[in-house]
Amino acid sequence: MTATWAGQRARPGTVGTGTIRADAIPKSRGDFAFSSDLYADGMLWGATVRSRYPYARIKSIDFSAAAVMSGVRCVLTHHDVPGRNRFGLEIRDQPVLADDAVRYVGEPVAVVAADHPEIARRAAEAVAVEYERLDALTDPRLALSGVGPDLHDGGNVVAHHRIRKGSAEPAADVVVRGVYHVGTQDQAFLGPESCLAIPALDGGVELYCSTQWLHIDQDQLADVLSLPLDKVRLTLSGVGGAFGGREDLSVQAHACLLALRTGRPIKMVYDREESFFGHVHRHPARLEYEHGASADGCLVYVRARILLDGGAYASTSRAVASNAGCFACGPYEVPNVSVDSYAVYTNNPPCGAMRGFGAVQSCFGYESQMDKLAAELGLDPVEVRLRNAVGTGSAMATGQRIDGPAPVAELLRRVRDMEPPAPADSSTCDDVLMPGGAANTTHGEGVRRGVGYGVSVKNICKSLGYDDYGTARVRLSISGGEPVAEVHTAAAEVGQGLTTVQAQIVRTELGVRQVVVVPADTRVGDAGTSSASRQTWISGGAVRAACEAVRDRVLRIAAATLGAELSELWLADECVRSERTATDVPLAELLGSTNVDETRVFRHRQTFPLDPETGQGDGHVAFAFAAHRAVVDVDTELGLVRVVEIACAEDVGRAMNPPAVEGQMHGGIAQGLGLALMEEVQVVDGYIQNPSFTDYLIPTTLDMPPVRLSILEIPRDDSPYGLTGVGEPALLSCPAAVVAAIRDACGIDITRIPVRPEIIAGCA
Amino acid sequence: MRLSCTVNGQRRDIDVCPAESLLFALRERMGLPGTKNACEQGECGSCTVYLDGVAVCACLIAAGQAEGGDVVTVEGLADDEGPHPVQQAFAESGAVQCGFCTPGLIVAVHDVLSHSPRPTDAAIREALAGNLCRCTGYEKIFDAVRSAAVRMSAEGKRR
Ligand code: FES
Ligand code: FES
């Protein structure tokens, strides 16, 4: 039944063609409604009272002064949570509103609703919370060692994953060791957390919000609100970026509580500072590595011990720690492996999902080690990687054989063989393009160029036996004499272009021109999360399956109507075509007022949990790979870095919408460059020091260099259209490549990202 | 307090609180949420609008400062014939992902091109350094600016 799609690839708006996003013009005109843009008559504004301490017992909450302020409608504390006062993605350990204790600075303690956001903010300030301060546990190494208070029942070790493969005492000719650190990165999506909650006549609530996964929000909210699922109805609003930071609940429960209590619509919008406290961050990591290799540069063993600071609540720490461990050896053949990865509770800000999900931290560690090994052996850094690169059929550290494409060597060669950027020439070069940029700190003196490489691997889709699926409903009807296909999923468009891909799939499968993508909501079945680079694969697979079901029914209707054999009919150009009689029957004529409406669920192949002692098993659906080459100019006196160019090669399986794939890669590279050089949530004794775009710097147009992409399309045989996930890989090894280039430029060892100028300048 | 000004060619008389920014007044009091609020500290450019012909961060302007002024927002750039060439170029170049930065960038690019119809790549980078985008890595935004410049000179359009 592939007749409709063969030969029709080039039709505009179908799979594989560059397709303009349907939301691009509304977004450009300012007509697209983000969750922060929503409005309802009579709506009130919510504001949050947050903990000022990293760890304290709550002795009392006095909101009498706030409650009597003019314009204040209600103040709620944990006493007002009708259901279970806990939420969380893996373990429901996080209070919606703190009850007995607060465990991080910024933890929500109470919420307020008022007529105006400024009144709400002032009322929140007027809520008097009496705390008894406790000694905060902010050092993850102490948390791991068992020293200090238990922040949760069961102790402070949230996760410990082991991988043991091969011999415990392997012999190697050369050994390199290193300890590496990765700072806390923020997703810094541009649209702050926001939502509109509207109380419904049936006692339920309608929530319009930004999220990555509507159904998991619904599930947690129903328990918090003590409502049946069908009374907690969510609709996705415009989402201003996500990158993992919208997997956990933020404003959702608070707004629903206030709406149900006041009987009025509640709007909540964080400002940028509150946003830094309002979502989880990328786990900061400490990575101890030991690599052993033979004299010819083949890896003999890898030992690693990875410690992630999960902060005050679990969020996705278990899965992140598992990923950090599973990919601790990188895309290399390693016969003997011993890895321990841990996540711990501390009184630091909670950490969870961010693009790359544990694989980013490990990549900085193992790629730093590969460069060290190359130096030790006097080998070229690319060569040592090529000698060890996995390919199809290789075993990962978990013992899983890679049965899909694994063109690691090809990706490396591609970035290596790209034309290098022109050398810096201070006579012609704009000073803005020098390290230090517009600050005009050098005219080229003290500037050295360096080149570095990185290669990486990450799992695509959910892992370790999780039953992951997506649901799609497709409805074909005739409207105004034309066939119109409507596609409805709960899959979150967070900026990646999913809505457009869904429409491309429908056009490809049904051959119709008009496709309407219905807003994502919980009226349709679960789509799973827009994370793990999985949504185009999973929800795309569901949309394709639903289209196939629609097509099948249309052809059956045609066979019955025309008295034809099913096998001789196919869909093309909005007609049913009969091969035997060479006739076309327009869909409009055939269907008339009949609607063909089908819902399908799509699952990827099954995965399995890893053995708890050895970490061995077929835990992953697929592996994706990327390679980077970074070229930098470093002002060795001031320690300033100018990235001259980043090249990235990635296998995407099938580029569903090529410009969108490029856009994902560009964006991932920018976030990787940010992590390498400038982005860090600085936390001292549990307090965030820089919760603003003044002090938390993300790359600007002047920080980003020209980027060169090389996109491979090696189709998979187990995914829709052969695609693989593209959201994450282009970030993974970008920081490692940038740091390798800095080391190459100035010959010093760098073990921590983001790299600080004082380290490069040797004055730290 | 009362604020009277022209917004996208229309005279508006509204009530505002003294502490409110022009951004808040546009978004919450005039029903023009196209202008975005990503930092409210003058760091991200997503709130860029024209005030009396000058591109400004609406989050840094008190609503009262617009008294008697002429404000143009992203919603005011398209005309009856359709989107402005800058808007069209953003859409066609793939410069829009989540789109939260887009309205501010559209106004900023409109401003750049009205002063400098064929900017160099370095000039584009410098001119847009105050507009943060977290999704695109800026590459396709630069493509959009170059394409908009070509379109606007072909159409003889300056604004
Ligand atoms: S919201 Fe005005 S500059 Fe960021
Ligand atoms: S497109 Fe998302 S911030 Fe620019």
Side-chain angles (χ1 to χ4, degrees):
Chain A
M1 210 60 95
T2 53
T4 49
W5 107 271
Q8 292 191 10
R9 284 186 191 193
R11 275 193 303 119
T14 54
V15 165
T17 63
T19 304
I20 296 174
R21 303 171 60 113
D23 57 9
I25 284 288
K27 284 175 174 176
S28 300
R29 295 179 62 130
D31 293 342
F32 178 87
F34 289 90
S35 53
S36 50
D37 299 337
L38 303 176
Y39 174 88
D41 281 336
M43 79 183 185
L44 303 173
W45 291 77
T48 312
V49 180
R50 293 180 181 274
S51 162
R52 286 187 284 128
Y53 301 112
Y55 193 29
R57 192 163 295 129
I58 296 178
K59 295 173 74 177
S60 66
I61 304 172
D62 177 3
F63 53 82
S64 51
V68 298
M69 287 169 68
S70 158
V72 171
R73 304 295 169 157
C74 118
V75 183
L76 302 179
T77 69
H78 66 94
H79 293 295
D80 303 295
V81 177
R84 184 172 173 197
N85 184 25
R86 289 291 182 275
F87 70 98
L89 293 168
E90 292 175 350
I91 312 170
R92 300 234 179 137
D93 64 349
Q94 188 160 359
V96 173
L97 292 169
D99 32 42
D100 55 330
V102 288
R103 295 181 182 81
Y104 71 97
V105 175
E107 178 162 358
V109 177
V111 284
V112 176
D115 295 347
H116 188 282
E118 186 57 24
I119 299 173
R121 195 186 63 76
R122 283 190 206 159
E125 268 172 20
V127 173
V129 184
E130 195 187 343
Y131 296 100
E132 176 194 337
R133 291 197 64 175
L134 302 168
D135 288 336
L137 176 62
T138 56
D139 179 347
R141 295 175 77 185
L142 282 183
L144 182 64
S145 69
V147 176
D150 279 355
L151 300 181
H152 295 271
D153 293 344
N156 293 329
V157 179
V158 187
H160 175 199
H161 300 283
R162 277 180 212 86
I163 299 179
R164 300 287 184 273
K165 179 178 154 189
S167 156
E169 298 293 335
D173 299 328
V174 286
V175 173
V176 290
R177 297 186 180 85
V179 179
Y180 305 93
H181 288 91
V182 177
T184 309
Q185 189 178 21
D186 188 62
Q187 296 82 355
F189 41 68
L190 221 57
E193 290 84 347
S194 50
C195 72
L196 178 68
I198 303 177
L201 290 173
D202 66 353
V205 62
E206 312 276 350
L207 179 66
Y208 297 83
C209 65
S210 288
T211 179
Q212 292 176 237
W213 187 356
L214 286 166
H215 282 83
I216 204 158
D217 286 9
Q218 182 192 34
D219 206 42
Q220 296 171 88
L221 290 170
D223 286 350
V224 169
L225 303 172
S226 195
L227 286 173
L229 282 175
D230 64 353
K231 292 204 170 170
V232 183
R233 296 175 288 266
L234 278 74
T235 303
L236 190 75
S237 305
V239 181
F243 317 116
R246 299 195 208 265
E247 288 193 17
D248 301 75
L249 293 179
S250 58
V251 284
Q252 291 94 321
H254 299 153
C256 290
L257 287 168
L258 289 169
L260 290 168
R261 176 62 71 92
T262 59
R264 305 254 305 254
I266 300 290
K267 178 164 173 169
M268 288 190 84
V269 184
Y270 291 170
D271 64 14
R272 180 56 51 185
E273 178 174 351
E274 191 168 20
S275 179
F276 275 92
F277 297 95
H279 61 258
V280 299
H281 309 287
R282 187 191 299 289
H283 289 76
R286 180 180 192 277
L287 309 110
E288 283 173 43
Y289 268 99
E290 181 177 315
H291 279 55
S294 61
D296 61 357
C298 292
L299 289 170
V300 175
Y301 71 86
V302 171
R303 291 195 187 119
R305 206 175 140 82
I306 298 169
L307 175 57
L308 303 171
D309 183 352
Y313 296 101
S315 182
T316 50
S317 281
R318 286 179 174 173
V320 173
S322 167
N323 253 29
C326 285
F327 301 107
C329 298
Y332 301 117
E333 296 254 22
V334 188
N336 306 292
V337 177
S338 172
V339 173
D340 291 273
S341 58
Y342 303 88
V344 292
Y345 285 126
T346 64
N347 293 115
N348 290 321
C351 289
M354 183 176 172
R355 202 175 197 174
F357 204 76
V360 175
Q361 292 93 325
S362 297
C363 182
F364 176 59
Y366 64 71
E367 285 300 80
S368 297
Q369 286 285 96
M370 293 305 278
D371 284 336
K372 231 180 209 184
L373 186 63
E376 188 72 23
L377 290 164
L379 282 173
D380 174 72
V382 175
E383 183 54 35
V384 83
R385 288 173 168 85
L386 290 174
R387 283 186 196 178
N388 292 287
V390 292
T392 303
S394 297
M396 296 292 292
T398 54
Q400 181 169 356
R401 294 266 160 209
I402 304 173
D403 54 8
V408 176
E410 168 70 12
L411 296 170
L412 266 166
R413 284 192 208 101
R414 284 194 175 209
V415 290
R416 181 192 62 193
D417 295 344
M418 280 190 208
E419 188 75 15
D425 174 355
S426 52
S427 60
T428 57
C429 177
D430 199 329
D431 280 350
V432 170
L433 297 178
M434 285 284 162
N440 208 16
T441 48
T442 176
H443 303 290
E445 64 283 2
V447 173
R448 283 192 229 146
R449 177 155 293 189
V451 180
Y453 293 88
V455 61
S456 47
V457 55
K458 191 191 172 285
N459 51 334
I460 301 297
C461 301
K462 292 223 160 189
S463 298
L464 310 185
Y466 188 84
D467 179 26
D468 193 19
Y469 65 92
T471 314
R473 173 170 167 250
V474 172
R475 177 174 181 269
L476 183 64
S477 62
I478 307 302
S479 168
E482 300 261 347
V484 179
E486 205 177 81
V487 52
H488 188 187
T489 73
E493 164 70 66
V494 295
Q496 79 277 49
L498 183 76
T499 308
T500 308
V501 165
Q502 292 186 23
Q504 288 177 278
I505 292 172
V506 175
R507 280 190 214 102
T508 300
E509 296 300 327
L510 298 181
V512 297
R513 278 180 287 271
Q514 287 194 60
V515 180
V516 177
V517 181
V518 175
D521 59 31
T522 50
R523 290 180 303 136
V524 65
D526 197 350
T529 176
S530 289
S531 328
S533 302
R534 67 178 277 292
Q535 200 60 288
T536 297
W537 183 324
I538 305 299
S539 284
V543 170
R544 186 169 76 166
C547 286
E548 283 167 355
V550 166
R551 188 170 60 206
D552 189 56
R553 265 194 55 204
V554 169
L555 294 181
R556 280 173 198 284
I557 293 170
T561 315
L562 306 173
E565 289 293 322
L566 198 55
S567 59
E568 72 190 53
L569 299 175
W570 79 89
L571 273 182
D573 297 332
E574 310 199 328
C575 294
V576 174
R577 189 163 286 170
S578 160
E579 203 162 358
R580 189 172 50 84
T581 60
T583 48
D584 280 359
V585 182
L587 283 174
E589 200 174 293
L590 182 75
L591 294 180
S593 58
T594 309
N595 297 326
V596 180
D597 194 330
E598 294 287 346
T599 299
R600 287 293 180 275
V601 168
F602 177 86
R603 283 183 161 77
H604 59 61
R605 69 168 168 192
Q606 196 183 356
T607 61
F608 302 91
L610 302 178
D611 182 286
E613 293 307 317
T614 66
Q616 300 294 293
D618 288 348
H620 302 295
V621 175
F623 304 102
F625 306 91
H628 291 80
R629 180 188 72 187
V631 179
V632 301
D633 283 339
V634 182
D635 179 336
T636 52
E637 289 157 21
L638 293 177
L640 301 176
V641 177
R642 161 93 209 157
V643 182
V644 176
E645 186 197 87
I646 305 267
C648 176
E650 185 178 331
D651 172 27
V652 304
R654 178 90 193 271
M656 299 291 281
N657 185 4
V661 168
E662 291 164 7
Q664 284 299 302
M665 292 175 70
H666 290 146
I669 289 165
Q671 291 181 0
L673 183 148
L675 176 58
L677 294 177
M678 61 186 81
E679 291 186 34
E680 182 171 11
V681 180
Q682 290 165 21
V683 182
V684 176
D685 298 331
Y687 293 84
I688 297 179
Q689 306 294 301
N690 55 340
S692 74
F693 280 164
T694 314
D695 298 313
Y696 182 92
L697 301 181
I698 67 174
T700 69
T701 52
L702 291 174
D703 299 308
M704 282 310 295
V707 166
R708 279 206 233 185
L709 304 181
S710 176
I711 297 176
L712 263 80
E713 292 184 83
I714 305 176
R716 297 188 60 86
D717 59 14
D718 58 353
S719 67
Y721 309 101
L723 70 84
T724 193
V726 298
E728 295 167 288
L731 191 159
L732 302 174
S733 38
C734 181
V738 170
V739 173
I742 299 170
R743 289 191 196 107
D744 182 52
C746 47
I748 56 160
D749 195 18
I750 296 168
T751 58
R752 186 184 193 287
I753 47 175
V755 182
R756 295 180 178 145
E758 55 268 34
I759 301 287
I760 299 174
C763 53
Chain B
M1 120 195 173
R2 202 79 183 144
L3 168 67
S4 303
C5 58
T6 308
V7 180
N8 299 332
Q10 274 189 324
R11 163 126 191 164
R12 304 292 292 256
D13 298 282
I14 55 160
D15 286 318
V16 296
C17 298
E20 286 172 11
S21 65
L22 176 59
L23 178 62
F24 186 89
L26 289 167
R27 289 177 50 80
E28 305 296 341
R29 300 211 180 261
M30 300 191 215
L32 292 170
T35 307
K36 295 292 171 257
N37 53 339
C39 76
E40 296 174 74
Q41 278 190 337
E43 293 289 347
C44 74
S46 45
C47 62
T48 308
V49 299
Y50 283 110
L51 175 58
D52 296 328
V54 179
V56 296
C57 289
C59 69
L60 295 182
I61 307 272
Q65 282 175 268
E67 176 63 33
D70 180 19
V71 179
V72 178
T73 72
V74 68
E75 290 103 330
L77 296 182
D79 58 25
D80 294 345
E81 285 160 37
H84 189 276
V86 173
Q87 293 167 323
Q88 200 70 43
F90 264 67
E92 288 175 16
S93 305
V96 180
Q97 289 189 29
C98 84
F100 208 82
C101 67
T102 309
L105 269 157
I106 295 282
V107 177
V109 170
H110 185 272
D111 183 49
V112 172
L113 294 179
S114 62
H115 292 113
S116 158
R118 296 304 283 268
T120 63
D121 287 0
I124 297 171
R125 283 181 186 273
E126 208 158 351
L128 299 182
N131 288 80
L132 298 177
C133 172
R134 191 54 162 168
C135 301
T136 66
Y138 306 107
E139 283 276 319
K140 289 187 186 293
I141 291 172
F142 301 144
D143 291 346
V145 179
R146 290 186 281 260
S147 148
V150 172
R151 279 158 203 263
M152 284 171 70
S153 51
E155 292 178 25
K157 204 156 184 162
R158 290 224 55 165
R159 287 237 114 170

